[in-house]
Amino acid sequence: MIPFFTSHWSIGKSILTLEDEKEPKSDSPVSIVAIAKKHKLKELVLVDNSFGGFIQAYKNIPKETNFTFGLSVCICSNEEDKSVESFKFESKIILMIKNSKGYKDLINIYTHAATKGFYYIPRISWSFLKENFTENLLMVFPPYDNFIHVNHLENGLCVPDFGEKIKPVFTKMNGGLPFDTLLHSAYSDYCSVNKFDLIDVHQCYYYKKEDFKAFQVFKAINNRGVFSRPNLENFSSDKFSFEEFLLNEQRLTKI
Amino acid sequence: MSKDLLRFNLDKNKFIVFDFETEGLNLCYSRPWELGFTVIHSPTERENFHFYLKWPNLKVSPEAAAVTGFDYRKIEKYGVEPIVAIEAFDKFLYDKQYKIIAHNGMGYDIYIHNLSRKLLGKESDYSYINRFYDTNALAKGYKLNKDFDYKNQNFVAYQFSLLNFKQKGLKSRLSLVCQDFQIEFDEQNAHAACYDVNKTWEIFIPLINKLSIF
C-alpha cells in the first residue's frame, strides 16, 4: 500500500504543509516533510492539484526519501465546451512525473489546463492528453473521483479515451465509505478486462485521526457550513490520515 | 422477470424500516438521541421498537429541538444505554433475511448508525448496503422518470446516483412524497422517529409499484 499525500497547496483539500520541519508538531499544522523525517519514509508520493508546492517539496523533502510528484487534474471530453452541461463529462486523473523531463512535460500540460482548458478549474481533454502524454509521465486513476466513480455514483457520462500509448494504473482505497465495495468491484472488472494494474493506496489529508475534527471544520468553512451542519455530502470517514495508513500496514503485516 | 419484482413479492419478504433523530447534521459527530424502527416479519406480524439513546452530554440546539421534539426530560426518564438500542437494531440490520428501508437513509442514517457503532467501540460495517432501499432516492427516480435499469445497473449505484442528482425544484422530502401519493401527513408529528418510520413504509409501497424494484 502506498500513501498518497496531498498538501495545503491543493487549496481546501488538506491541512498538511510542506514546511521544512524536523518533527510533526501538536500545536500547529503538520508538515509532510516532518512526517517523512519522523517515520523515515523511503518513498513519498505527493499528489496536488497545482504546482504551487512542488519547489518547496523538492527542496525540503529529505534526500533519503524518493520523492514522486503527481498532478491531480480534471479531464473532460471537450475543453471547448464551457457550459454547466460539461460537468457531466468531467472526472479526475493523476499525472506522475517519472524524471526531470517529465517535469517539463507536465508543466506544459498544466499550463494548457490552467489557460485554454480552464472552466472553473484547470482541465484538459482526453484528446489533448493523448497528443501531449510522454514516456516521462505515468497516468494514474485516483481511488475516488475517477470516471468509474463519477459514472456510477455521480450521474457522470465520462468516456475515457487515452489511446494505445498510455498504460494507466488504477488505484483503490478502503476509505471506510459505504460505496467502497461497489467501486472496488467495478475497478477490478475494468482492470481485469483491460489488463491494467490495480494497486492499493492511502490518501492522506491530515496526520493523525485526532486531526480529523480540524480538517472537517476547515472543509466546512470552505463550504460555507458550520460544525453542526458542515454541508459536506458523504463526508463520514476519518480514515484519511497517515496514522490510519500505518495501522493498515500493521494489520497487513500481521496477516 | 416481472413476476420477480418486489411489488409482487411483498408477502414473501421481511423488512426493517427505521429512522434516527440526531443532535445535528454532522455525519461524524451528531449523535442520535432517538431511534425508531419497525420490523415487518410478515404481512400480519410487525414489531415496533422505539428508543431514546442516553449519550452523555447531548447537545441539541433550540432550533433543532423545536423541529424534532427533543426534550431532555424524556431522555432522562426513558433513555437507555445506546448499546442497548444499537444492538437491538443491529440484530435485524445484519440479518440477511431483512430488506432495509429508510428515507434518505443512504444519505444520512447509515452514517449516523456507523457513528454510533464507532462510539460503542464497534467496527464500521456497511455490509447490509445491498439490501437497502432509500425512499428518498426512489422518490427522485419516480419524479425524474428514471427507472432502475436492472440489466445494466447496480441497485446501490442507482440509488446513490439519484441521491447525488441535484435539480432546481426537485423536492423529495417525506411530507411532499406523502402528498404526491395522497397519504396523510401531519407536520406536527414530523421528525418524530416512529411517525416518520410509518410514513416511510406507506410511501414505499406506491414507489415500488411505480419503479422496477426487486
Side-chain angles (χ1 to χ4, degrees):
Chain A
M1 192 185 305
I2 304 168
F4 275 13
F5 290 94
T6 293
S7 80
H8 74 115
W9 288 97
S10 294
I11 295 172
K13 305 283 184 197
S14 168
I15 55 172
L16 297 171
T17 72
L18 290 164
E19 300 296 323
D20 186 12
E21 283 164 2
K22 290 179 190 166
E23 280 256 323
K25 292 178 183 170
S26 57
D27 58 352
S28 62
V30 172
S31 164
I32 294 169
V33 175
I35 294 172
K37 286 178 185 172
K38 175 173 175 167
H39 297 277
K40 297 184 174 51
L41 297 182
K42 295 196 171 68
E43 306 276 341
L44 192 152
V45 178
L46 176 67
V47 177
D48 272 335
N49 61 18
S50 79
F51 268 96
F54 178 82
I55 302 288
Q56 191 181 27
Y58 187 78
K59 280 185 182 170
N60 293 342
I61 286 170
K63 299 288 172 265
E64 307 79 56
T65 303
N66 187 19
F67 166 50
T68 304
F69 180 80
L71 180 75
S72 170
V73 68
C74 176
I75 191 151
C76 61
S77 58
N78 177 10
E79 291 157 14
E80 307 293 320
D81 183 359
K82 306 217 173 170
S83 69
V84 170
E85 279 299 304
S86 70
F87 293 158
K88 274 192 287 207
F89 304 99
E90 291 180 355
S91 61
K92 296 275 172 65
I93 60 169
I94 300 170
L95 296 172
M96 295 212 174
I97 298 172
K98 283 181 176 175
N99 49 45
S100 52
K101 284 183 188 170
Y103 170 75
K104 291 178 188 170
D105 295 338
L106 193 54
I107 286 280
N108 283 336
I109 291 175
Y110 184 64
T111 302
H112 180 89
T115 53
K116 292 199 176 126
F118 191 92
Y119 181 59
Y120 285 93
I121 53 174
R123 313 179 311 172
I124 56 172
S125 62
W126 288 107
S127 56
F128 178 83
L129 178 69
K130 271 196 294 190
E131 284 165 26
N132 294 276
F133 189 84
T134 71
E135 61 189 3
N136 306 309
L137 298 170
L138 171 67
M139 183 171 117
V140 175
F141 285 106
Y144 298 105
D145 300 325
N146 54 66
F147 73 94
I148 292 180
H149 176 172
V150 169
N151 287 349
H152 266 60
L153 304 183
E154 308 273 344
N155 304 288
L157 294 170
C158 308
V159 181
D161 178 18
F162 42 85
E164 304 269 324
K165 194 170 64 169
I166 302 174
K167 294 283 177 231
V169 172
F170 227 106
T171 63
K172 64 180 173 75
M173 174 181 166
N174 281 323
L177 295 166
F179 40 79
D180 278 345
T181 308
L182 165 71
L183 289 180
H184 296 174
S185 172
Y187 298 166
S188 185
D189 290 345
Y190 178 78
C191 290
S192 171
V193 165
N194 293 284
K195 298 186 178 28
F196 297 148
D197 288 333
L198 175 60
I199 62 172
D200 284 297
V201 301
H202 193 97
Q203 289 182 312
C204 302
Y205 301 124
Y206 41 97
Y207 180 42
K208 288 188 172 179
K209 200 167 170 170
E210 67 196 39
D211 299 334
F212 173 71
K213 201 170 200 171
F215 179 65
Q216 192 195 46
V217 171
F218 171 69
K219 298 273 292 181
I221 290 169
N222 282 324
N223 223 43
R224 297 180 186 175
V226 294
F227 183 72
S228 61
R229 193 187 184 117
N231 287 341
L232 299 166
E233 285 186 14
N234 303 320
F235 195 90
S236 61
S237 171
D238 59 358
K239 294 202 181 296
F240 291 75
S241 66
F242 181 72
E243 182 183 3
E244 186 68 31
F245 162 73
L246 289 178
L247 286 168
N248 285 335
E249 287 278 88
Q250 283 168 13
R251 279 187 210 120
L252 284 171
T253 308
K254 277 186 192 161
I255 289 165
Chain B
M1 188 58 97
S2 62
K3 61 178 168 49
D4 295 326
L5 289 168
L6 187 56
R7 68 177 85 129
F8 302 124
N9 294 284
L10 271 177
D11 55 342
K12 296 186 189 111
N13 282 281
K14 299 182 182 190
F15 302 91
I16 169 171
V17 191
F18 76 101
D19 185 46
F20 283 107
E21 299 301 332
T22 61
E23 289 174 297
L25 296 173
N26 187 318
L27 301 181
C28 306
Y29 293 100
S30 293
R31 296 167 299 177
W33 53 267
E34 187 181 22
L35 166 62
F37 63 97
T38 293
V39 182
I40 298 163
H41 299 287
S42 73
T44 52
E45 195 190 347
R46 285 191 195 193
E47 261 186 289
N48 295 317
F49 295 84
H50 178 258
F51 298 95
Y52 288 119
L53 287 77
K54 208 169 172 179
W55 300 99
N57 305 315
L58 275 170
K59 287 185 180 79
V60 180
S61 69
E63 295 78 18
V67 169
T68 60
F70 175 79
D71 183 345
Y72 193 71
R73 291 170 298 183
K74 283 189 209 168
I75 311 294
E76 271 296 300
K77 190 172 179 184
Y78 303 113
V80 300
E81 286 301 317
I83 193 149
V84 169
I86 296 302
E87 285 190 345
F89 179 60
D90 282 0
K91 183 181 140 193
F92 296 102
L93 186 72
Y94 292 107
D95 184 336
K96 290 178 185 172
Q97 294 182 90
Y98 293 90
K99 291 182 169 19
I100 308 148
I101 306 167
H103 196 76
N104 202 34
M106 289 165 75
Y108 182 74
D109 297 79
I110 62 174
Y111 300 114
I112 300 303
H113 171 253
N114 184 56
L115 167 65
S116 303
R117 283 181 61 89
K118 277 167 37 178
L119 289 171
L120 295 169
K122 295 172 184 281
E123 292 285 326
S124 284
D125 184 355
Y126 291 110
S127 58
Y128 56 80
I129 200 76
N130 290 329
R131 292 180 280 118
F132 208 101
Y133 297 75
D134 185 323
T135 47
N136 185 25
L138 300 183
K140 279 186 169 185
Y142 163 61
K143 285 175 185 255
L144 292 166
N145 209 22
K146 281 191 180 197
D147 200 356
F148 173 51
D149 179 3
Y150 62 86
K151 284 183 183 167
N152 297 305
Q153 257 186 315
N154 172 284
F155 188 55
V156 173
Y158 167 73
Q159 294 182 92
F160 271 120
S161 67
L162 284 167
L163 289 176
N164 290 326
F165 187 89
K166 308 287 178 220
Q167 182 176 287
K168 205 172 178 180
L170 178 65
K171 292 185 170 126
S172 55
R173 66 175 189 272
L174 187 56
S175 58
L176 293 177
V177 181
C178 283
Q179 208 175 309
D180 289 339
F181 293 120
Q182 287 97 49
I183 293 168
E184 207 180 286
F185 190 91
D186 181 359
E187 288 288 352
Q188 298 278 357
N189 285 316
H191 298 297
C194 290
Y195 186 80
D196 284 1
V197 162
N198 287 335
K199 292 300 161 187
T200 300
W201 175 249
E202 286 186 55
I203 64 168
F204 180 67
I205 307 300
L207 282 170
I208 61 169
N209 276 298
K210 299 286 183 194
L211 300 166
S212 305
I213 304 298
F214 293 86

